[in-house]
Amino acid sequence: MKLNALLLAALALSPIAHANMDIMTHHPYARATPPNAATSAVFVELMNHTEQNRAIVAASTPAAGKVELHDVIHDGDVMQMRQVEQIEIPAQGHVSLKPGSLHIMLFELTKPLVEGESIDVELTFANGEKQTFNAPIKAVMKGMKHHH
Ligand SMILES: [Cu+2]
C-alpha cells in the first residue's frame, strides 16, 4: 500500500503521465472478416488508473457504419449477444473485452477487415471524454464459440 501510494503520488506530480494514462488499453484487436461479412468485433483490455469509476457509453470507428457495445448472455446452452448501455471500468480496476463476453460490435463494415492491417477505435466515456486506440486486425477462430 505504501509503495502504491508513493507511485500514485509520483504519477500525480507528472503532468505527462497523468494526462495520458487515466485509461490504458492493452492487447487490442479487431477480428478479421471474410470478404462479404458485414459485422465484426473489437476486443481490448481496459485499465482504469483513476480513483473514479469510469464507463464507456459509445464507440466509433471509420471502419464501420454503426458500432454498439455488446455483452454475451448465456441462456442454457445458447449464447446470445445483447446491446448494453455502457461498459463500466471500476476505479483502479480493469475490464476485459473478449470473445464470448463484452465486446465492441461493428456493423455495416466499410470494407473487409484484413489481417495485418489495423483500425482506429474511439471510445466515449460517460464524463464526455474521448480516447482513441489502434486495434490490429487478427484472424481468430471463426465466430464465437457456441459449443463447448
Ligand atoms: Cu456483438
Side-chain angles (χ1 to χ4, degrees), residues 51-87:
E51 298 296 336
Q52 280 91 41
N53 294 330
R54 301 287 296 270
I56 302 164
V57 294
S60 67
T61 171
K66 189 171 94 171
V67 181
E68 291 180 358
L69 306 176
H70 274 198
D71 198 358
V72 174
I73 51 170
H74 300 249
D75 183 9
D77 283 344
V78 183
M79 292 170 73
Q80 277 187 314
M81 295 194 300
R82 59 160 189 171
Q83 190 176 1
V84 294
E85 299 255 309
Q86 58 178 38
I87 294 174

Side-chain angles (χ1 to χ4, degrees), residues 9 15 21-22 25 29 35 39 70 83 120 128 141:
M21 293 176 66
D22 283 359
T25 55
Y29 67 97
T39 65
H70 274 198
Q83 190 176 1
D120 281 334
M141 275 188 296

